[in-house]
Each structure stands twice: as C-alpha cells, then as structure tokens.
Amino acid sequence: MAALISDTGDLEKALKDVKNELGEMNLQQNAVVDEKKEGSVSSSDGGGGLGERKIKVANFESGEIYPTNYPEKTYEDYVMRNDVESKGYQTPAELPSSIQTIIKDDVQKEISKGVVRKKLAKMRHLVVKEAIKPSYLDDLMPKIIEKFWPQQVVYNGGVANVKNWKISCYLEVMEGGVPCTNPCLPLLDDCSELLDAVDALFTHWYKQQHACNKPGQPKREEPYKIKRVMNFITRYTPNPNEQALLKHVDGAGKVDGSAVIALPVDRWTGPEDVMSFEGHGGGLTFWDGHPNPAKQQEIDYDTRSGDIGFIDKAVWHQANPITKGTRWAMVIFYEVV
C-alpha cells in the first residue's frame, strides 16, 4: 500500500530506496516537506503549481515511479513502440463494445444534429456535453493525477503570450520530439481507451463538418484518415501563468483540427470544496461565425467532466482563467487526410 510522506526523514529514505531500486534512473527531488501540515508537500520545481498537496509514495517494488525528468532515451522508445495513427474508426458505432460503454448513448446523432445547427450559423466548432461518461473519467482520474508530471516547454513565440509553458504533461509529441523529447508513456497507456473513443468521435464530427452541402459538388466517398500529432493533459491553477490558455489557435493553425476533453475536478488530493473551481471561472470561449475576426461572435461554454469541444482548423478559442481550485483537460491535435 502507498503511504503518505510525513517528514523529511521519511522523504529522504524513500528517495534513497527509489534510487537503489531503479539504478540508472535519474530521480531529482522537486518537493520539499511542509512541516506545518502533516502529510503534505509544497511544490518547489516551478512546474507543480499546486502549492501544498498530498502525494503518495509510488509502489517501489513494481518500479511504478514517474520522475519529473524522464530519460531522454524515452523519445526513442516512444517512436519504436507507439503508433499514433488512429485505428480508423469512422463512427462511434465502429468502436469495440468495451469502448462504446464509455461514450454517451446516441452521441453520434447528437453530433450530427449539432453540426447542422453550427453550419447554419457558419460556425466551425461544436461542444457536446458529457460525450464521455463522467463515471468512466472518475475511474481514470486517479491514474492521471498519480502519473501527471508536467514537462517545461519553451516556445519561441510563446503560447498565448506564455513563453515558458509548464503545466502540461505530454503523452504524444510531434516528429523529432516537438515540443518535448520525454513523452509520458505510462500515462499514454492508461488513456488508450479514451483516446480511441475521442478519435472516433472526432472523425465523425469532422466528416459531418466538412460534408459538402452545395449542389453539384461531388460527395467524398473515401473515408477520412486521422492521425494524432500531439496529445497532452493540462492542469490549470490560480498561480500566475497557470490560470488559463488565452485566445489562440491550436498548433499555430498548422493542425487540421483538435479536441478538448474536460476532465473531473480533482477530489483525490484534497477536499472537493478546496480543489473545485466551481463559481471561479473555467470553461471554454470561442470566436467563430465569420471569416472576418472583427465580425465573429464570442461564445462561452461552461464545460464540465466529459464535455468535448471539437475544433476545426484555425478557430480562435481559449481556456478561461480560474481563480480557485484546479481544472484539468486533455487536448488532442489531429492531422486529417
């Protein structure tokens, strides 16, 4: 059973045991014990962003320890073993039955109807409430929290004016290790079913969004083939530069589409009333409806666990700021051929 770290002596002993167990793994200590609150630690690595939070000691005997500095060779392992191309599901109905159980009933029809309404308004995004069942995400979330270690990324132009981005854990990265060379493979394994489900939902949405409705133009017969080009999980906090991802387009407009999946409120590392951002911001905002930015509408969504935002290429949007608690989301960038 995992135990709580409660004092400096226990922490030093635990780190020594980890180093002995894992040998070559370079484990850096990025937390300091807060002696004023038993069983809590304060993040000091600049990337944790939670202030004080309870963390559990990993299962050393099984090697389940996920340091902040994954070895550089991880990217080579990632390239060798990871196939980021989707399995080709064109609709949710084509998913294996075990994965169909995690998506909302009749979500395929809901997406089709939603796209029609959005296209009439000349919009290129859609938000579906609880497309992924919140109960499934509640079961998955403890694994995400346990293995979530944000990698610090430095962008030349910044991400929505934040140059040093340090609140995302990357599961899949672009060719050559962009934006980082140390994707978190253990967390990628845990999220495989969720990724398959979102791939199928995105493909169905994209097909409907790009269906030709103009008379005389040929209908596309070949199936769409999608590929995940990047995938990451972000934890927003009230700390400076961690509150939001302000107005931007995904992948600097170079990806064909994206999906944003709202994850549960963290009820595992602290009381829900402390960790929740309810009533203190959050959600998504889109600017859409006209090719001229000056004429676009601003649309706000109060997203919660299981909601998915489907976003077409170069649609402006933002993850709204929070002033309390933590807010978690998964983001997937897609290439479509």
Side-chain angles (χ1 to χ4, degrees), residues 95-324:
L95 288 166
S97 57
S98 60
I99 301 180
Q100 288 188 34
T101 61
I102 76 174
I103 63 174
K104 182 180 184 179
D105 296 338
D106 294 326
V107 68
Q108 186 169 323
K109 293 180 180 179
E110 184 174 342
I111 290 174
S112 298
K113 292 179 180 179
V115 168
V116 171
R117 289 192 292 269
K118 288 295 185 182
K119 290 177 77 170
L120 289 173
K122 301 187 183 302
M123 294 187 181
R124 300 187 297 119
H125 77 277
L126 178 68
V127 174
V128 179
K129 304 294 288 184
E130 295 187 359
I132 301 295
K133 292 180 179 178
S135 58
Y136 168 80
L137 294 175
D138 282 347
D139 291 338
L140 179 62
M141 196 63 187
K143 296 180 181 178
I144 291 176
I145 294 171
E146 177 190 2
K147 300 174 186 177
F148 178 86
W149 292 104
Q151 299 103 320
Q152 182 164 314
V153 174
V154 178
Y155 291 95
N156 291 332
V159 179
N161 298 321
V162 180
K163 186 172 183 179
N164 296 314
W165 187 253
K166 55 187 180 182
I167 60 172
S168 294
C169 179
Y170 293 83
L171 283 62
E172 296 173 315
V173 296
M174 293 183 178
E175 184 176 353
V178 177
C180 68
T181 59
N182 51 352
C184 182
L185 300 182
L187 194 48
L188 176 60
D189 290 339
D190 288 337
C191 294
S192 60
E193 285 189 343
L194 176 59
L195 292 170
D196 283 347
V198 177
D199 287 350
L201 294 170
F202 176 86
T203 304
H204 178 66
W205 167 80
Y206 191 91
K207 180 179 179 181
Q208 300 295 316
Q209 181 67 39
H210 289 264
C212 181
N213 296 323
K214 296 181 180 180
Q217 291 193 8
K219 179 180 178 181
R220 178 181 173 122
E221 299 295 338
E222 64 273 19
Y224 283 100
K225 189 175 182 181
I226 68 167
K227 180 178 181 179
R228 296 193 303 268
V229 294
M230 191 189 297
N231 168 30
F232 53 93
I233 293 173
T234 299
R235 179 191 59 200
Y236 299 99
T237 82
N239 294 342
N241 294 327
E242 298 182 3
Q243 300 172 338
L245 181 53
L246 298 179
K247 191 174 181 180
H248 66 284
V249 294
D250 285 336
K254 298 178 182 179
V255 297
D256 294 314
S258 54
V260 180
I261 305 95
L263 298 175
V265 168
D266 177 7
R267 305 189 300 275
W268 294 268
T269 60
E272 185 171 359
D273 61 339
V274 174
M275 304 302 290
S276 175
F277 62 90
E278 190 73 39
H280 296 269
L284 297 173
T285 295
F286 288 84
W287 290 265
D288 202 354
H290 199 282
N292 183 348
K295 297 181 179 181
Q296 290 178 344
Q297 298 181 49
E298 182 176 311
I299 310 103
D300 297 319
Y301 298 91
D302 189 21
T303 53
R304 291 297 182 268
S305 180
D307 297 355
I308 299 183
F310 300 103
I311 309 169
D312 208 359
K313 183 175 184 176
V315 173
W316 290 93
H317 62 285
Q318 76 175 23
N320 297 324
I322 61 170
T323 57
K324 173 185 172 293

Side-chain angles (χ1 to χ4, degrees), residues 10-50:
D10 289 344
L11 184 58
E12 292 177 351
K13 183 179 184 301
L15 288 172
K16 184 177 180 180
D17 290 343
V18 172
K19 291 177 180 179
N20 290 338
E21 181 73 22
L22 300 181
E24 296 180 357
M25 181 171 289
N26 179 20
L27 178 64
Q28 293 182 342
Q29 165 60 345
N30 291 314
V32 295
V33 173
D34 181 354
E35 296 179 351
K36 296 181 181 179
K37 292 195 175 182
E38 184 177 356
S40 68
V41 298
S42 298
S43 173
S44 62
D45 63 355
L50 268 179

